[in-house]
Short mmCIF file of all heavy atoms in Angstrom, two decimals:
data_model
loop_
_atom_site.label_atom_id
_atom_site.label_comp_id
_atom_site.label_asym_id
_atom_site.label_seq_id
_atom_site.Cartn_x
_atom_site.Cartn_y
_atom_site.Cartn_z
N PHE A 607 25.59 -18.58 17.93
CA PHE A 607 26.36 -17.46 17.39
C PHE A 607 27.83 -17.84 17.52
O PHE A 607 28.29 -18.19 18.61
CB PHE A 607 26.10 -16.18 18.18
CG PHE A 607 24.74 -15.57 17.95
CD1 PHE A 607 23.65 -15.95 18.73
CD2 PHE A 607 24.55 -14.64 16.94
CE1 PHE A 607 22.40 -15.39 18.51
CE2 PHE A 607 23.31 -14.08 16.72
CZ PHE A 607 22.23 -14.46 17.51
N GLY A 608 28.55 -17.79 16.42
CA GLY A 608 29.96 -18.16 16.50
C GLY A 608 30.75 -17.59 15.33
O GLY A 608 30.21 -16.93 14.45
N LYS A 609 32.05 -17.88 15.35
CA LYS A 609 32.94 -17.35 14.31
C LYS A 609 33.50 -18.51 13.48
O LYS A 609 33.66 -19.62 13.98
CB LYS A 609 34.08 -16.55 14.94
CG LYS A 609 33.61 -15.26 15.63
CD LYS A 609 34.79 -14.47 16.16
CE LYS A 609 34.35 -13.19 16.86
NZ LYS A 609 33.68 -12.25 15.94
N LEU A 610 33.78 -18.19 12.23
CA LEU A 610 34.51 -19.14 11.38
C LEU A 610 35.79 -18.45 10.91
O LEU A 610 35.89 -17.22 10.90
CB LEU A 610 33.62 -19.60 10.21
CG LEU A 610 32.97 -18.55 9.30
CD1 LEU A 610 33.93 -18.09 8.23
CD2 LEU A 610 31.72 -19.14 8.66
N TYR A 611 36.76 -19.27 10.53
CA TYR A 611 38.10 -18.76 10.25
C TYR A 611 38.63 -19.42 8.98
O TYR A 611 38.43 -20.61 8.75
CB TYR A 611 39.04 -19.07 11.42
CG TYR A 611 38.47 -18.72 12.78
CD1 TYR A 611 37.67 -19.63 13.47
CD2 TYR A 611 38.74 -17.50 13.37
CE1 TYR A 611 37.14 -19.33 14.71
CE2 TYR A 611 38.22 -17.18 14.62
CZ TYR A 611 37.42 -18.10 15.29
OH TYR A 611 36.90 -17.78 16.52
N TYR A 612 39.34 -18.63 8.16
CA TYR A 612 39.99 -19.20 6.98
C TYR A 612 41.06 -18.24 6.48
O TYR A 612 41.17 -17.08 6.96
CB TYR A 612 38.95 -19.49 5.89
CG TYR A 612 38.15 -18.28 5.43
CD1 TYR A 612 38.59 -17.50 4.36
CD2 TYR A 612 36.94 -17.94 6.06
CE1 TYR A 612 37.86 -16.40 3.94
CE2 TYR A 612 36.22 -16.86 5.64
CZ TYR A 612 36.68 -16.08 4.58
OH TYR A 612 35.96 -14.99 4.16
N GLN A 613 41.85 -18.75 5.52
CA GLN A 613 42.85 -17.92 4.87
C GLN A 613 42.42 -17.61 3.44
O GLN A 613 41.89 -18.48 2.75
CB GLN A 613 44.20 -18.65 4.80
CG GLN A 613 44.85 -18.90 6.14
CD GLN A 613 46.23 -19.49 5.96
OE1 GLN A 613 47.15 -18.81 5.48
NE2 GLN A 613 46.37 -20.76 6.32
N LYS A 614 42.68 -16.37 3.03
CA LYS A 614 42.36 -15.98 1.67
C LYS A 614 43.42 -14.99 1.19
O LYS A 614 43.61 -13.94 1.83
CB LYS A 614 40.97 -15.35 1.58
CG LYS A 614 40.45 -15.28 0.15
CD LYS A 614 38.95 -14.99 0.14
CE LYS A 614 38.39 -15.08 -1.27
NZ LYS A 614 36.94 -14.86 -1.32
N GLU A 615 44.08 -15.37 0.10
CA GLU A 615 45.13 -14.53 -0.47
C GLU A 615 46.18 -14.16 0.58
O GLU A 615 46.65 -13.03 0.67
CB GLU A 615 44.53 -13.27 -1.08
CG GLU A 615 43.56 -13.55 -2.23
CD GLU A 615 42.91 -12.28 -2.77
OE1 GLU A 615 43.17 -11.19 -2.20
OE2 GLU A 615 42.17 -12.39 -3.75
N GLY A 616 46.52 -15.17 1.39
CA GLY A 616 47.58 -14.99 2.38
C GLY A 616 47.18 -14.25 3.63
O GLY A 616 48.01 -14.02 4.51
N LYS A 617 45.92 -13.87 3.75
CA LYS A 617 45.46 -13.13 4.93
C LYS A 617 44.48 -13.98 5.72
O LYS A 617 43.70 -14.75 5.16
CB LYS A 617 44.79 -11.82 4.52
CG LYS A 617 45.74 -10.83 3.86
CD LYS A 617 45.01 -9.52 3.53
CE LYS A 617 45.96 -8.51 2.89
NZ LYS A 617 45.28 -7.24 2.55
N TYR A 618 44.54 -13.82 7.03
CA TYR A 618 43.59 -14.52 7.90
C TYR A 618 42.27 -13.74 7.95
O TYR A 618 42.26 -12.51 8.09
CB TYR A 618 44.16 -14.68 9.32
CG TYR A 618 45.34 -15.61 9.37
CD1 TYR A 618 46.63 -15.13 9.52
CD2 TYR A 618 45.15 -16.99 9.27
CE1 TYR A 618 47.73 -15.98 9.56
CE2 TYR A 618 46.23 -17.85 9.31
CZ TYR A 618 47.51 -17.34 9.45
OH TYR A 618 48.59 -18.20 9.48
N VAL A 619 41.16 -14.48 7.85
CA VAL A 619 39.83 -13.86 7.85
C VAL A 619 39.00 -14.47 8.97
O VAL A 619 39.04 -15.69 9.19
CB VAL A 619 39.13 -14.07 6.49
CG1 VAL A 619 37.75 -13.40 6.52
CG2 VAL A 619 39.98 -13.53 5.35
N GLU A 620 38.25 -13.61 9.66
CA GLU A 620 37.37 -14.06 10.75
C GLU A 620 35.98 -13.49 10.49
O GLU A 620 35.81 -12.29 10.30
CB GLU A 620 37.91 -13.55 12.09
CG GLU A 620 37.08 -13.94 13.30
CD GLU A 620 37.72 -13.43 14.59
OE1 GLU A 620 38.86 -13.84 14.89
OE2 GLU A 620 37.08 -12.60 15.27
N LYS A 621 34.96 -14.34 10.48
CA LYS A 621 33.59 -13.93 10.19
C LYS A 621 32.64 -14.44 11.27
O LYS A 621 32.84 -15.53 11.83
CB LYS A 621 33.13 -14.49 8.84
CG LYS A 621 33.91 -13.97 7.63
CD LYS A 621 33.54 -12.52 7.31
CE LYS A 621 34.21 -12.06 6.04
NZ LYS A 621 33.89 -10.65 5.73
N SER A 622 31.61 -13.65 11.54
CA SER A 622 30.58 -14.05 12.51
C SER A 622 29.39 -14.65 11.79
O SER A 622 28.96 -14.14 10.74
CB SER A 622 30.12 -12.83 13.32
OG SER A 622 31.17 -12.31 14.09
N ARG A 623 28.86 -15.73 12.33
CA ARG A 623 27.71 -16.41 11.74
C ARG A 623 26.66 -16.69 12.81
O ARG A 623 26.97 -16.78 14.01
CB ARG A 623 28.12 -17.74 11.10
CG ARG A 623 29.29 -17.71 10.18
CD ARG A 623 29.06 -16.90 8.93
NE ARG A 623 28.14 -17.52 7.99
CZ ARG A 623 27.94 -17.05 6.76
NH1 ARG A 623 28.59 -15.95 6.34
NH2 ARG A 623 27.10 -17.65 5.95
N LEU A 624 25.46 -16.83 12.36
CA LEU A 624 24.35 -17.29 13.19
C LEU A 624 23.77 -18.52 12.48
O LEU A 624 23.47 -18.46 11.29
CB LEU A 624 23.27 -16.20 13.32
CG LEU A 624 21.87 -16.65 13.75
CD1 LEU A 624 21.88 -17.26 15.15
CD2 LEU A 624 20.88 -15.49 13.68
N VAL A 625 23.64 -19.64 13.23
CA VAL A 625 23.11 -20.86 12.62
C VAL A 625 21.96 -21.42 13.46
O VAL A 625 21.93 -21.25 14.69
CB VAL A 625 24.20 -21.94 12.43
CG1 VAL A 625 25.26 -21.46 11.45
CG2 VAL A 625 24.83 -22.31 13.77
N LEU A 626 21.03 -22.05 12.77
CA LEU A 626 19.89 -22.70 13.42
C LEU A 626 19.83 -24.16 12.98
O LEU A 626 20.10 -24.47 11.81
CB LEU A 626 18.57 -22.02 13.03
CG LEU A 626 18.43 -20.51 13.23
CD1 LEU A 626 17.07 -20.04 12.73
CD2 LEU A 626 18.63 -20.13 14.68
N PHE A 627 19.46 -25.04 13.92
CA PHE A 627 19.28 -26.47 13.62
C PHE A 627 17.89 -26.89 14.11
O PHE A 627 17.48 -26.51 15.22
CB PHE A 627 20.32 -27.33 14.33
CG PHE A 627 21.74 -27.09 13.93
CD1 PHE A 627 22.51 -26.13 14.57
CD2 PHE A 627 22.32 -27.83 12.90
CE1 PHE A 627 23.83 -25.92 14.20
CE2 PHE A 627 23.64 -27.63 12.53
CZ PHE A 627 24.40 -26.67 13.18
N ILE A 628 17.19 -27.68 13.30
CA ILE A 628 15.94 -28.30 13.74
C ILE A 628 15.96 -29.75 13.28
O ILE A 628 16.23 -30.04 12.10
CB ILE A 628 14.69 -27.59 13.14
CG1 ILE A 628 14.62 -26.14 13.59
CG2 ILE A 628 13.42 -28.32 13.54
CD1 ILE A 628 13.43 -25.37 13.03
N THR A 629 15.68 -30.67 14.20
CA THR A 629 15.63 -32.08 13.85
C THR A 629 14.60 -32.79 14.72
O THR A 629 14.28 -32.32 15.82
CB THR A 629 17.01 -32.74 14.00
OG1 THR A 629 16.96 -34.08 13.49
CG2 THR A 629 17.46 -32.78 15.45
N GLY A 630 14.09 -33.92 14.25
CA GLY A 630 13.10 -34.69 15.02
C GLY A 630 11.70 -34.18 14.77
O GLY A 630 11.36 -33.75 13.66
N SER A 631 10.87 -34.23 15.80
CA SER A 631 9.48 -33.81 15.70
C SER A 631 9.35 -32.33 16.03
O SER A 631 10.15 -31.76 16.77
CB SER A 631 8.60 -34.63 16.64
OG SER A 631 8.66 -36.00 16.30
N LYS A 632 8.28 -31.74 15.51
CA LYS A 632 8.04 -30.32 15.78
C LYS A 632 7.79 -30.10 17.26
O LYS A 632 8.20 -29.11 17.85
CB LYS A 632 6.84 -29.83 14.97
CG LYS A 632 6.55 -28.32 15.14
CD LYS A 632 5.36 -27.91 14.29
CE LYS A 632 5.15 -26.40 14.38
NZ LYS A 632 4.77 -25.95 15.71
N GLN A 633 7.07 -31.05 17.88
CA GLN A 633 6.77 -30.95 19.29
C GLN A 633 6.53 -32.35 19.83
O GLN A 633 6.28 -33.29 19.07
CB GLN A 633 5.51 -30.09 19.51
CG GLN A 633 4.26 -30.68 18.86
CD GLN A 633 3.08 -29.74 18.83
OE1 GLN A 633 3.26 -28.55 18.82
NE2 GLN A 633 1.88 -30.31 18.83
N ALA A 634 6.62 -32.47 21.14
CA ALA A 634 6.35 -33.77 21.76
C ALA A 634 4.86 -34.08 21.66
O ALA A 634 4.03 -33.18 21.72
CB ALA A 634 6.80 -33.74 23.22
N GLU A 635 4.54 -35.36 21.51
CA GLU A 635 3.13 -35.73 21.40
C GLU A 635 2.46 -35.58 22.76
O GLU A 635 3.05 -35.81 23.82
CB GLU A 635 3.00 -37.16 20.89
CG GLU A 635 3.66 -38.21 21.76
CD GLU A 635 3.55 -39.59 21.14
OE1 GLU A 635 2.83 -39.71 20.14
OE2 GLU A 635 4.17 -40.53 21.66
N THR A 636 1.18 -35.14 22.72
CA THR A 636 0.37 -35.01 23.94
C THR A 636 -1.00 -35.57 23.66
O THR A 636 -1.35 -35.87 22.52
CB THR A 636 0.24 -33.54 24.37
OG1 THR A 636 -0.58 -32.85 23.40
CG2 THR A 636 1.60 -32.85 24.45
N TRP A 637 -1.82 -35.68 24.72
CA TRP A 637 -3.18 -36.16 24.52
C TRP A 637 -4.02 -35.14 23.77
O TRP A 637 -5.07 -35.47 23.20
CB TRP A 637 -3.83 -36.47 25.88
CG TRP A 637 -3.99 -35.26 26.77
CD1 TRP A 637 -3.07 -34.77 27.65
CD2 TRP A 637 -5.12 -34.39 26.84
NE1 TRP A 637 -3.54 -33.65 28.27
CE2 TRP A 637 -4.81 -33.40 27.79
CE3 TRP A 637 -6.36 -34.36 26.20
CZ2 TRP A 637 -5.70 -32.37 28.12
CZ3 TRP A 637 -7.24 -33.33 26.52
CH2 TRP A 637 -6.91 -32.35 27.47
N GLN A 638 -3.56 -33.87 23.75
CA GLN A 638 -4.34 -32.83 23.09
C GLN A 638 -4.09 -32.77 21.59
O GLN A 638 -4.97 -32.36 20.83
CB GLN A 638 -4.00 -31.46 23.69
CG GLN A 638 -4.43 -31.32 25.15
CD GLN A 638 -3.95 -30.01 25.74
OE1 GLN A 638 -2.76 -29.72 25.66
NE2 GLN A 638 -4.85 -29.24 26.31
N ALA A 639 -2.88 -33.09 21.17
CA ALA A 639 -2.55 -32.94 19.75
C ALA A 639 -1.50 -33.97 19.36
O ALA A 639 -0.57 -34.25 20.12
CB ALA A 639 -2.04 -31.53 19.48
N PRO A 640 -1.62 -34.52 18.15
CA PRO A 640 -0.59 -35.46 17.69
C PRO A 640 0.67 -34.70 17.30
O PRO A 640 0.65 -33.49 17.07
CB PRO A 640 -1.24 -36.11 16.46
CG PRO A 640 -2.20 -35.06 15.96
CD PRO A 640 -2.71 -34.36 17.17
N THR A 641 1.77 -35.42 17.21
CA THR A 641 3.01 -34.80 16.77
C THR A 641 3.21 -35.04 15.28
O THR A 641 2.46 -35.79 14.66
CB THR A 641 4.20 -35.36 17.56
OG1 THR A 641 5.38 -34.61 17.26
CG2 THR A 641 4.44 -36.83 17.20
N ARG A 642 4.21 -34.37 14.72
CA ARG A 642 4.57 -34.57 13.32
C ARG A 642 6.04 -34.24 13.17
O ARG A 642 6.61 -33.48 13.97
CB ARG A 642 3.73 -33.69 12.40
CG ARG A 642 3.97 -32.19 12.57
CD ARG A 642 3.42 -31.41 11.38
NE ARG A 642 3.54 -29.97 11.57
CZ ARG A 642 4.66 -29.28 11.36
NH1 ARG A 642 5.77 -29.90 10.99
NH2 ARG A 642 4.69 -27.98 11.54
N PRO A 643 6.70 -34.78 12.13
CA PRO A 643 8.11 -34.45 11.93
C PRO A 643 8.29 -32.97 11.59
O PRO A 643 7.44 -32.36 10.93
CB PRO A 643 8.51 -35.34 10.74
CG PRO A 643 7.46 -36.40 10.67
CD PRO A 643 6.21 -35.79 11.18
N ALA A 644 9.38 -32.40 12.07
CA ALA A 644 9.71 -31.02 11.70
C ALA A 644 9.93 -30.95 10.20
O ALA A 644 10.40 -31.91 9.58
CB ALA A 644 10.96 -30.56 12.44
#
Side-chain angles (χ1 to χ4, degrees):
F607 288 89
K609 293 183 181 296
L610 54 83
Y611 312 87
Y612 58 91
Q613 294 186 69
K614 195 166 187 178
E615 298 177 356
K617 294 182 179 180
Y618 293 105
V619 180
E620 179 178 299
K621 296 286 186 181
S622 296
R623 311 295 289 189
L624 161 63
V625 296
L626 306 178
F627 297 89
I628 299 179
T629 187
S631 299
K632 183 179 185 294
Q633 62 191 28
E635 60 183 352
T636 69
W637 64 272
Q638 294 174 307
T641 188
R642 66 164 176 81

